[in-house]
Amino acid sequence: MHHNSSLKFRIAPGKLLTTAVLIVTMSISTFLPAQRAFAIPAEGSKMMISAPSPYAVEVGKKIIEQGGNVVDVAVAVGLTLAVTSPYFAALGGGGFALINMGDEVEVIDFRETAPGKTSPSYYKDKAKDASITGGAAVGVPGFPAGLYEMHKKHGKLRWSKLFAEPMRLADKGFNVSGAWVKRAKRTEKRFNDAGRKHFMKKVGVHYKPGEKLTQKGLVKALKEFKRKNVSGFYEGFVAKDIVQAVKSSGGDLTLEDMKNYKVRWLKPLTANYLGHKIYLMPPPSSGGVVMKSAFSLLEKLKVHEKAPLSVDELHLMAEVLKRSFRGRATLGDPDFHKNPLDYLLSEEYLNEMAKGVSLSKAKSLKPITLKTIVDSNETTHYAVMDKNGKAVSLTVTLNGSYGSGVVSNRFGIALNNEMDDFTTRPGQPNMYGLIQGMGNTVEPGKRPLSSMSPTLVEKEGKMVMAIGAPGGPRIISGTLQAIYRVLASDWDLDSAIQAPRLHHQFLPDTVFVDRNRISPDALELLRKRGHKVEESWGARVKGVRINEEGHIEAAFDARSEGAAGGY
Ligand code: DON
């Protein structure tokens, strides 16, 4: 074991330096090396946006200037991302949003659904990657319906107004980012012919960062959506183009599936933590259930009394996450499956879980067997919040980067591979290493269990934070720890988001820690307490927060591309 001072490390940037100084004062500590990327947070006093693309933030700002409310901004940001960031926010994806317009927090579920011709054994005789690449991986897209229904209920500006800038970016073009190029390159082999046609310059040639991409086909699809709203996407020539693309690449999506798609309005789950009320995403996400359990265990175990990023704190965080993720495999779409929330979130179960935690030793637990308790990874997040706490916290995904790799031929709409979030082959891990339960089997019209966790935080009756992340199951641990750093460690939002994190999802029984960001000393000590530790990647958190001074902070994770801005 080395002493901290013997370690060579580069100086952390900006305010992270203060954190580094703070933590080297502890006998054995974690440390923060320099980051590869810088995030530039922003503050304002009227309305702020945190999103994965600078174009989206600029478009959002124009909508604020036009007098739009947070929902108008969220819709315009979503449409812009469909143009600039198709790998995780194309119209062929789906997601969730928590919305606060002042009266009560509402949840809109625009997750993809399983096509009518699927069944629990749909993947049994298909190729091993059929739920990941190609037409059989595609669920009925929900993003367009989500944007439309949100606007219908709460929008202030005219629907058509929100399309002007996104359509201009598709028509006149925008300059692709380095991340955009990387993702197109990475997907080249998985793309169908239309994917290569729309997202490569020509056969065998990729765009370079900074080059202009125009999407004339997408302009037409957006125009149809603008004119005819949901029927412009779910019926007619756009739907036909999508169904055709899925069919010709081995899937079973029909025009009827498209026409039948409906969003759901749900009630949020809520948790209390250190005097705050936290609004969480209910099933079909596992996020809220796992986070509610985790906040309860964090409070019971008084984890906030440990020094930030100390080995004690990291150890306890891992033990809390392990126990909270334990119940995930019992969950599924509530319209199809009885979720055992009464059991998982009961004081009795949570006390039992808390009692099993030891400060000196990691403990393994057996999986929950569903019978004993019931009868019978590409995504993005953005957040918008105004000075009154009105907010939209929205996570949208195609699941993998560019989803299934299937792109519609005429309009260049990238389609999701959300079907991989179902239990496609019982007992076998999915793309994110998750072992899924029997409440999450494939059934027509059903939504796959998700980890997406758009979240809102309220203090003394006032909404003070809108936050969330992409990252598969790491969404849950990432969002949780960012909130924890603000509420428990009292850090500003940017520092809270950039701070090193860990992840434990029960199975595998491994603590995944941010690569190169927690000292070898600390990792060694975690191993000594009995954890299997692996350096890995983390979620990419984005959020907006009203701080103690009443200023609105918008921040995004330097772990990936993003932008923050507003007024
Ligand atoms: O809904 C889910 O949990 C996944 N489809 C999310 C995938 C994701 O976050 C990808 N990002 N890395």
Side-chain angles (χ1 to χ4, degrees):
M1 192 170 57
H2 314 275
H3 188 261
N4 221 322
S5 58
S6 69
L7 284 171
K8 280 194 204 142
F9 61 89
R10 290 169 290 160
I11 299 297
K15 75 186 93 173
L16 290 181
L17 184 57
T18 4
T19 316
V21 170
L22 190 137
I23 58 182
V24 286
T25 56
M26 295 179 293
S27 58
I28 294 293
S29 69
T30 58
F31 81 109
L32 309 171
Q35 287 169 227
R36 207 165 52 84
F38 285 85
I40 305 174
E43 285 190 27
S45 46
K46 187 176 169 192
M47 193 191 298
M48 293 296 288
I49 309 157
S50 172
S53 153
Y55 285 104
V57 171
E58 284 312 308
V59 171
K61 283 169 73 175
K62 283 201 177 134
I63 299 297
I64 301 174
E65 284 162 22
Q66 291 167 20
N69 64 18
V70 289
V71 168
D72 295 320
V73 172
V75 171
V77 165
L79 292 170
T80 307
L81 293 175
V83 175
T84 61
S85 319
Y87 30 89
F88 46 46
L91 296 175
F96 305 128
L98 261 63
I99 303 173
N100 176 45
M101 292 305 284
D103 298 332
E104 52 167 2
V105 173
E106 295 167 283
V107 178
I108 181 166
D109 165 0
F110 49 95
R111 179 99 164 140
E112 298 88 333
T113 53
K117 284 187 186 146
T118 58
S119 71
S121 57
Y122 185 63
Y123 293 100
K124 211 170 134 234
D125 300 319
K126 288 197 165 33
K128 206 163 171 253
D129 70 341
S131 63
I132 297 177
T133 301
V138 181
V140 187
F143 193 29
L147 293 175
Y148 177 71
E149 297 294 340
M150 262 167 75
H151 181 266
K152 193 169 110 189
K153 196 155 183 187
H154 292 296
K156 188 169 136 202
L157 297 182
R158 271 209 329 272
W159 172 244
S160 59
K161 246 192 165 160
L162 308 178
F163 282 74
E165 290 300 317
M167 281 176 67
R168 195 180 55 78
L169 286 169
D171 190 31
K172 304 284 177 232
F174 73 98
N175 304 105
V176 297
S177 66
W180 190 103
V181 173
K182 240 184 240 159
R183 285 168 189 276
K185 283 189 175 164
R186 248 192 267 146
T187 318
E188 181 179 348
K189 290 206 173 69
R190 296 177 57 244
F191 273 140
N192 63 354
D193 289 345
R196 283 186 283 268
K197 178 176 89 180
H198 288 285
F199 300 119
M200 289 174 67
K201 220 163 160 177
K202 53 184 184 205
V203 182
V205 183
H206 281 278
Y207 285 91
K208 294 194 183 100
E211 285 186 338
K212 187 164 277 194
L213 172 79
T214 55
Q215 299 171 87
K216 302 286 183 192
L218 188 56
V219 180
K220 284 192 201 130
L222 285 169
K223 197 167 167 189
E224 193 67 1
F225 184 28
K226 176 177 92 168
R227 272 206 205 133
K228 302 192 180 145
N229 63 62
V230 276
S231 65
F233 181 85
Y234 289 91
E235 296 170 53
F237 55 78
V238 175
K240 263 194 201 135
D241 191 41
I242 289 172
V243 166
Q244 166 62 27
V246 171
K247 282 204 166 137
S248 64
S249 46
D252 295 288
L253 185 72
T254 62
L255 283 171
E256 207 190 341
D257 290 326
M258 291 291 287
K259 201 176 160 185
N260 287 342
Y261 185 83
K262 294 246 165 348
V263 306
R264 282 194 300 214
W265 291 91
L266 303 168
K267 296 255 176 269
L269 280 176
T270 59
N272 295 309
Y273 183 63
L274 302 182
H276 292 71
K277 185 169 179 185
I278 305 178
Y279 294 86
L280 302 159
M281 182 66 212
S285 176
S286 58
V289 178
V290 175
M291 282 169 75
K292 186 172 162 73
S293 159
F295 279 121
S296 163
L297 296 179
L298 287 171
E299 197 151 40
K300 284 183 197 295
L301 296 165
K302 298 195 170 54
V303 180
H304 59 281
E305 290 176 3
K306 303 293 176 201
L309 296 168
S310 62
V311 173
D312 279 354
E313 190 209 45
L314 296 175
H315 162 73
L316 290 174
M317 185 63 79
E319 289 296 276
V320 163
L321 286 170
K322 183 198 296 178
R323 283 162 178 77
S324 300
F325 265 96
R326 183 170 180 247
R328 191 186 186 280
T330 65
L331 304 175
D333 183 337
D335 283 357
F336 290 77
H337 169 70
K338 189 174 177 305
N339 287 309
L341 303 196
D342 292 350
Y343 174 78
L344 294 176
L345 301 174
S346 67
E347 276 303 297
E348 197 187 341
Y349 177 75
L350 292 168
N351 283 335
E352 183 195 324
M353 287 297 111
K355 246 176 51 203
V357 176
S358 141
L359 188 58
S360 59
K361 195 91 199 126
K363 289 193 195 152
S364 298
L365 286 93
K366 287 204 185 78
I368 298 178
T369 43
L370 196 59
K371 273 202 223 94
T372 62
I373 49 171
V374 285
D375 308 337
S376 51
N377 267 270
E378 203 51 57
T379 310
T380 194
H381 185 86
Y382 60 92
V384 188
M385 184 173 244
D386 73 8
K387 61 177 192 295
N388 300 316
K390 289 192 175 158
V392 176
S393 186
L394 186 151
T395 314
V396 57
T397 188
L398 267 67
N399 194 22
S401 186
Y402 280 107
S404 59
V406 178
V407 175
S408 83
N409 186 40
R410 280 180 70 196
F411 306 111
I413 297 170
L415 298 165
N416 68 81
N417 57 354
E418 224 68 61
M419 296 296 283
D420 191 59
D421 278 348
F422 278 117
T423 307
T424 53
R425 290 186 180 79
Q428 288 183 35
N430 76 350
M431 246 165 79
Y432 297 99
L434 290 166
I435 311 274
Q436 309 262 29
M438 296 316 286
N440 188 31
T441 51
V442 184
E443 292 176 70
K446 188 174 173 183
R447 279 138 153 109
L449 184 67
S450 175
S451 299
M452 291 188 287
S453 310
T455 303
L456 297 172
V457 180
E458 187 182 271
K459 189 182 178 184
E460 289 152 13
K462 189 171 180 211
M463 212 55 81
V464 291
M465 204 192 306
I467 192 161
R474 286 159 167 79
I475 291 171
I476 302 174
S477 49
T479 306
L480 177 92
Q481 284 165 88
I483 296 172
Y484 171 87
R485 286 282 162 240
V486 175
L487 270 48
S489 313
D490 203 20
W491 292 10
D492 66 83
L493 185 60
D494 182 48
S495 304
I497 288 176
Q498 312 310 344
R501 296 193 286 261
L502 56 77
H503 173 70
H504 197 303
Q505 61 186 41
F506 185 67
L507 288 176
D509 192 356
T510 302
V511 185
F512 298 99
V513 298
D514 267 320
R515 201 183 301 287
N516 295 332
R517 301 190 63 196
I518 295 188
S519 80
D521 281 359
L523 298 185
E524 197 45 43
L525 286 174
L526 283 172
R527 289 191 180 104
K528 284 217 165 108
R529 288 192 200 188
H531 294 283
K532 185 164 179 264
V533 181
E534 217 175 275
E535 289 194 302
S536 184
W537 56 283
R540 281 83 63 184
V541 180
K542 292 179 186 66
V544 183
R545 172 205 180 210
I546 303 178
N547 65 22
E548 301 297 328
E549 289 172 85
H551 300 167
I552 316 173
E553 302 171 359
F556 64 94
D557 210 314
R559 292 168 181 84
S560 83
E561 60 180 337
Y567 293 101

